Amino acid sequence: SQPAVIGGRLFVGSRSGLVYSLDAKTACIHWTYQADGPVKNSVLIGVATVGSARQLVAYFGDLGGNAYAVNAQDGHLLWRKRVDDHPAARIMGSFQLIGNQLIVPVTSLESTLVAKADATCCTFRGSVVSYDASSGEQRWKRYTIDQEPAKVGENANGADIYGPAGATVWTAPTFDAKKRLLYIGTSENSVNPPTTTSDAVLAVNVDTSDVVWTYQGLSGDAWNMSCGTEDKVNCP
């Protein structure tokens, strides 16, 4: 992940799941924290009130779909949250800290996993989740697809197919402080039917989680890794 530098320290994640706080001049290790999966997003440093004390906090996520808050001075865990119950949930995009709201983008590897002929396709929807930056309590969760996945048919092997799904969020949201809007980029649908919020930008009110507007760059885009296999049984 791209490193963050503040107060003479350099914070960076790694594929092993170790997050490092290094001396920015000498590379001496101040502390490490072992996450449950690879950390590919940048560490976000912010200030939050934890208990009765103001603390400098390091926020990051892993490829197990977990969000972490650790004390930036000594690396001890303050809180940890699983951002989605789906087993394929992942965190790749960096977070945003807006006041005491921590904004976490959520993506998935489901479109890769369904390359297996016996896999069930597809039930994951991208989302952005707002947490209380101090306690880790969830404030709201905005899915990029409003409809919950339901059975839409069967594949050539007779297995059920579910949809709509996909429109995952791989990148960091951008915040418009004047309009109080989050701008969120989404990926393709992983299954038919395609939605109007895939390959799109969503403007979400950070205080209410309401979608204010959407812009779709490419419509009708449904694809997953099954399309690159010989049998293509789960390819939309």
Side-chain angles (χ1 to χ4, degrees):
S1 63
Q2 292 179 321
V5 180
I6 185 171
R9 295 206 189 177
L10 184 149
F11 301 86
V12 66
S14 69
R15 189 170 181 83
S16 71
L18 272 178
V19 175
Y20 295 84
S21 172
L22 306 175
D23 186 286
K25 291 184 178 179
T26 68
C28 288
I29 298 174
H30 287 285
W31 54 258
T32 62
Y33 179 86
Q34 180 64 62
D36 291 345
V39 176
K40 298 191 74 173
N41 64 349
S42 295
V43 180
L44 172 66
I45 307 297
V47 177
T49 300
V50 182
S52 59
R54 297 284 282 173
Q55 297 187 27
L56 198 64
V57 182
Y59 300 100
F60 53 88
D62 68 18
L63 293 193
N66 303 298
Y68 301 84
V70 305
N71 182 289
Q73 296 291 343
D74 59 21
H76 77 265
L77 180 67
L78 301 174
W79 57 259
R80 170 186 176 275
K81 296 291 181 179
R82 172 78 178 173
V83 298
D84 195 283
D85 291 335
H86 198 287
R90 303 288 188 269
I91 296 175
M92 294 283 283
S94 298
F95 301 166
Q96 277 277 12
L97 187 61
I98 302 165
N100 200 43
Q101 280 196 80
L102 183 71
I103 306 299
V104 177
V106 187
T107 188
S108 166
L109 290 185
E110 184 178 47
S111 62
T112 297
L113 299 177
V114 298
K116 293 184 177 181
D118 59 350
T120 299
C121 180
C122 288
T123 58
F124 184 87
R125 296 177 289 167
S127 66
V128 174
V129 190
S130 171
Y131 292 99
D132 183 291
S134 298
S135 67
E137 180 182 358
Q138 183 175 312
R139 293 188 172 194
W140 52 258
K141 183 172 188 174
R142 169 57 58 188
Y143 286 104
T144 57
I145 300 173
D146 286 336
Q147 310 98 300
E148 292 187 18
K151 182 179 177 179
V152 294
E154 297 180 353
N155 65 19
N157 291 342
D160 291 342
I161 295 178
Y162 296 84
T168 54
V169 184
W170 291 84
T171 57
T174 300
F175 180 57
D176 185 328
K178 184 176 181 179
K179 296 182 178 180
R180 301 291 294 174
L181 294 179
L182 291 166
Y183 301 124
I184 300 161
T186 67
S187 69
E188 76 281 352
N189 292 118
S190 55
V191 67
N192 284 318
T195 66
T196 59
T197 52
S198 60
D199 296 325
V201 177
L202 281 58
V204 175
N205 185 294
V206 73
D207 301 307
T208 66
S209 81
D210 293 335
V211 177
V212 177
W213 56 257
T214 65
Y215 166 77
Q216 187 170 46
L218 179 65
S219 62
D221 183 15
W223 179 89
N224 62 55
M225 287 290 286
S226 181
C227 300
T229 64
E230 186 176 351
D231 58 21
K232 296 179 172 53
V233 66
N234 284 320
C235 179

